[in-house]
């Protein structure tokens, strides 16, 4: 068991930890005071130097993203806190919202100051109604304490925060779908470029950052980039919240250093596999990541680069554990159904391909599959999401990365557990 002391979740077991008075009693908003005495450029440089990478899925360096915001002063700039958290197997942002909402808000104010924004949004998943109500109270408290509003803490910096509720669409977690939805339109992702940093909300420069990314900022400001880089791998460091679910004895959210071995997460922190069963497979980064075999899972570390090396991803760090009893073909169908339901329908390969995958997988599981079906699934996934080749930077054949989010897991099920698919088909072919 590691001796790492939680940073983002240090106080979550204490009573009233969500209140302003509690947050201030443990040093909350002291980073904001420091930031207000710095120049915006210096804040960006400091965050760049920390190598903080986004916790929402793509792992893009936060400070670099902020530096893309044009500083010519012509258009207003916006910050959006992505609290849509809809990736299957992911429930870390919800914990942060419930337990340390002022830490998130302090991160938002720091990021807004750095990019020169005076209106920031929290886009919260529609199903998080209790969390929405809590955030309303937290934002009101912050206004009362002059951490928001005009002349924050006696400075000449003004910031308003607006909370916007989503309506339950997974695709509104994708940053450009989110922006469309925030503008009051259907949540259809936009073609990039232009990226939101140039043309985002109302065609103005916009940064979208995840709840957990923002929560790291007060700590980076207070303790410095070198401290941050000393936690886990230097190129993608920091404390990380891992959500572990599935066939484990003690599912939950665990804060550990980036780069912890996946086997430690499963066997030490989450109490090992239920009922003494054998480990079969693991999604390391939500259902959009390529699945790992037990052998791969037992030897990989949980950081951006280690997972990319074995052609999967850290994503949202939603670790879904499957034991030997899981039927991999049924699990694959379940995933495909989710994506077919959530496809926004703009791109033909995604709209049609996801429906075809469901059709073929249903055919296989219901006893009508044939040996061509496996090749057909692979061909369809290639046409939706391209081949998995991380050396190529850009993968997709669709408007947004949802295409890869379907193609990679489905393809990995078939490639890594082909025998399970063949068993279904050979049973069927031997009957006919
Ligand atoms: C289909 C899809 C769903 C996504 N859902 C979320 C989400 O629920 N929360 C989130 O923070 N990022 C989500 N993302 C990633 C966002 O597009 C974006 O990269 C992220 O919010 C940027 O924040 P970060 O740089 O702090 O990670 C999703 C991406 C895709 C393609
Ligand atoms: S890839 Fe799918 S979800 Fe993304 S824009 Fe195209 S149809 Fe919509």
């Amino acid at each position: 068991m590691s001796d790492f002391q939680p940073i983002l979740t240090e106080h979550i077991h204490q009573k009233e930890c969500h209140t302003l008075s509690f947050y201030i009693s443990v040093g909350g908003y002291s980073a904001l005071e420091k930031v207000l005495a710095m120049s915006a450029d210096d804040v960006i440089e400091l965050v760049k130097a920390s190598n903080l990478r986004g916790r929402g899925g793509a792992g893009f360096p936060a400070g670099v993203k902020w530096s893309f915001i044009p500083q010519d002063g012509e258009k207003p700039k916006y910050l959006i806190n992505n609290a849509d958290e809809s990736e299957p197997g992911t429930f870390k942002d919800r914990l942060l919202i419930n337990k340390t909402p002022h830490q998130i808000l302090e991160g938002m104010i720091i990021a807004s100051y750095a990019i020169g924004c005076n209106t920031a949004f929290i886009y919260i998943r529609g199903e998080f109604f209790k969390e929405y109500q809590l955030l309303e109270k937290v934002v009101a408290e912050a206004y009362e304490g002059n951490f928001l509003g005009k002349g924050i803490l006696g400075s000449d910096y003004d910031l308003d925060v607006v909370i916007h509720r989503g309506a339950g669409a997974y695709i509104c977690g994708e940053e450009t779908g989110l922006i469309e939805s925030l503008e009051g339109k259907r949540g259809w992702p936009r073609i990039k470029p232009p990226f939101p940093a140039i043309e985002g909300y109302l065609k103005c420069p916009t940064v979208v950052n995840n709840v957990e990314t923002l929560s790291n900022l007060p700590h980076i400001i207070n303790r410095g980039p070198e401290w941050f880089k000393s936690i886990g791998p230097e190129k993608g460091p920091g404390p990380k919240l891992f959500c572990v679910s599935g066939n484990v004895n003690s599912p939950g959210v665990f804060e550990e250093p980036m780069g912890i071995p996946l086997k430690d997460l499963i066997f030490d922190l989450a109490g090992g596999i239920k009922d003494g069963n054998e480990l079969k497979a693991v999604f390391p980064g939500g259902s959009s990541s390529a699945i790992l075999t037990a052998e791969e899972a037992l030897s990989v570390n949980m950081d951006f680069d280690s997972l990319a090396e074995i052609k999967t991803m850290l994503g949202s760090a939603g670790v879904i554990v499957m034991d030997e009893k899981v039927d991999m073909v049924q699990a694959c169908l379940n995933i495909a159904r989710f994506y077919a339901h959530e496809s926004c329908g703009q791109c033909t390969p995604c709209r049609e391909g996801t429906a075809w995958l469901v059709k073929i997988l249903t055919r296989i599981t219901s006893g009508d599959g044939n040996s061509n079906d496996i090749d057909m699934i692979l061909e369809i996934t290639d046409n939706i999401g391209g081949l998995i080749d991380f050396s190529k930077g850009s993968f997709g054949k669709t408007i947004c990365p949802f295409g890869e989010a379907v193609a990679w897991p489905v393809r990995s099920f078939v490639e890594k557990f082909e025998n399970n698919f063949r068993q279904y088909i050979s049973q069927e072919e031997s009957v006919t």
Side-chain angles (χ1 to χ4, degrees), residues 83-86 122-129 132 164-173 177-178 180-182 184-187 341-342:
D84 196 53
E85 190 162 69
S86 311
I122 303 175
Y123 186 101
I124 185 164
R125 178 182 170 144
E127 290 88 339
F128 288 177
F129 186 62
Y132 160 72
H164 183 97
R165 293 182 62 215
Y170 171 67
I171 198 57
C172 289
L178 183 158
E180 287 281 302
S181 163
L182 190 62
K185 295 183 255 168
R186 185 183 289 196
H341 180 72
E342 296 295 341

Side-chain angles (χ1 to χ4, degrees), residues 46-204:
L46 193 147
V47 173
K48 261 191 190 169
S50 74
N51 290 350
L52 169 66
R53 289 172 67 174
R55 303 322 200 209
F60 197 82
V64 177
K65 191 189 277 191
W66 299 356
S67 67
F68 294 151
I69 294 286
Q71 289 302 336
D72 53 18
E74 274 179 20
K75 288 180 173 178
K77 288 124 194 147
Y78 295 103
L79 176 88
I80 304 172
N81 174 0
N82 189 344
D84 196 53
E85 190 162 69
S86 311
E87 178 72 16
T90 312
F91 36 89
K92 63 185 178 67
D93 296 343
R94 184 180 205 176
L95 177 86
L96 291 171
I97 296 168
N98 275 307
K99 299 292 183 181
T100 65
H102 279 285
Q103 178 176 250
I104 305 170
L105 208 53
E106 187 177 11
M108 282 184 71
I109 307 167
I110 293 169
S112 301
Y113 178 82
I115 63 166
C117 133
N118 300 111
T119 305
F121 296 93
I122 303 175
Y123 186 101
I124 185 164
R125 178 182 170 144
E127 290 88 339
F128 288 177
F129 186 62
K130 189 167 73 67
E131 289 76 8
Y132 160 72
Q133 288 179 313
L134 173 64
L135 282 174
E136 287 277 7
K137 280 193 198 136
V138 164
V139 167
E141 268 184 327
Y143 272 102
E144 270 172 39
N146 191 218
F147 299 105
L148 288 177
K150 296 255 176 267
I152 292 175
L153 300 181
S155 69
D156 58 2
Y157 179 57
D158 308 336
L159 178 67
D160 287 313
V161 166
V162 176
I163 308 174
H164 183 97
R165 293 182 62 215
Y170 171 67
I171 198 57
C172 289
E174 193 281 332
E175 57 184 6
T176 60
L178 183 158
I179 290 169
E180 287 281 302
S181 163
L182 190 62
E183 289 179 359
K185 295 183 255 168
R186 185 183 289 196
W188 273 1
R190 298 176 180 169
I191 292 174
K192 294 190 256 188
F195 288 90
I198 307 298
E199 247 184 50
Y201 179 64
L202 304 178
K203 292 196 186 284
C204 295

Side-chain angles (χ1 to χ4, degrees), residues 109-309:
I109 307 167
I110 293 169
S112 301
Y113 178 82
I115 63 166
C117 133
N118 300 111
T119 305
F121 296 93
I122 303 175
Y123 186 101
I124 185 164
R125 178 182 170 144
E127 290 88 339
F128 288 177
F129 186 62
K130 189 167 73 67
E131 289 76 8
Y132 160 72
Q133 288 179 313
L134 173 64
L135 282 174
E136 287 277 7
K137 280 193 198 136
V138 164
V139 167
E141 268 184 327
Y143 272 102
E144 270 172 39
N146 191 218
F147 299 105
L148 288 177
K150 296 255 176 267
I152 292 175
L153 300 181
S155 69
D156 58 2
Y157 179 57
D158 308 336
L159 178 67
D160 287 313
V161 166
V162 176
I163 308 174
H164 183 97
R165 293 182 62 215
Y170 171 67
I171 198 57
C172 289
E174 193 281 332
E175 57 184 6
T176 60
L178 183 158
I179 290 169
E180 287 281 302
S181 163
L182 190 62
E183 289 179 359
K185 295 183 255 168
R186 185 183 289 196
W188 273 1
R190 298 176 180 169
I191 292 174
K192 294 190 256 188
F195 288 90
I198 307 298
E199 247 184 50
Y201 179 64
L202 304 178
K203 292 196 186 284
C204 295
T206 303
V207 163
V208 181
N209 271 142
N210 169 260
V211 167
E212 185 187 350
T213 314
L214 294 163
S215 300
N216 275 286
L217 296 172
H219 303 282
I220 294 173
I221 299 293
N222 276 330
R223 303 197 212 183
E226 294 309 317
W227 162 80
F228 194 76
K229 276 192 289 200
S230 71
I231 305 169
E234 196 177 330
K235 284 188 182 163
K240 181 76 195 88
L241 300 190
F242 297 98
C243 321
V244 187
S245 64
N247 304 128
V248 287
N249 285 309
S250 310
V253 179
F254 303 97
E255 182 178 349
E256 288 294 320
M258 193 70 95
I260 183 180
L262 178 51
K263 80 170 166 5
D264 292 0
L265 265 182
I266 297 172
F267 289 96
D268 294 342
L269 295 156
I273 310 300
K274 256 189 168 169
D275 305 324
N277 288 338
E278 291 289 320
L279 175 66
K280 185 164 186 180
V282 183
F283 277 118
S287 66
S288 303
S289 58
I291 200 164
L292 300 175
T293 61
E295 202 187 350
E296 289 170 321
L298 293 175
S299 58
V300 76
N301 292 342
M302 292 294 285
D303 59 76
F304 293 110
D305 296 335
S306 303
L307 286 158
E309 258 170 44

Side-chain angles (χ1 to χ4, degrees), residues 171 189 343-347 350 398-400 402-403:
I171 198 57
S343 167
C344 85
Q346 275 189 99
C347 320
C350 175
T398 50
I399 291 173
C400 89
F402 182 103

Side-chain angles (χ1 to χ4, degrees), residues 9 16 44 78 85 91 111 123 134 151 168 180 207 243 277-278 290 324 328 358 370 392 397 407 410 415-416:
T9 58
E16 302 297 307
I44 295 180
Y78 295 103
E85 190 162 69
F91 36 89
Y123 186 101
L134 173 64
E180 287 281 302
V207 163
C243 321
N277 288 338
E278 291 289 320
E324 58 187 311
M328 300 311 272
V358 171
N370 65 65
K392 285 194 183 146
K397 298 178 177 177
V410 170
E415 284 181 339
K416 296 183 184 180

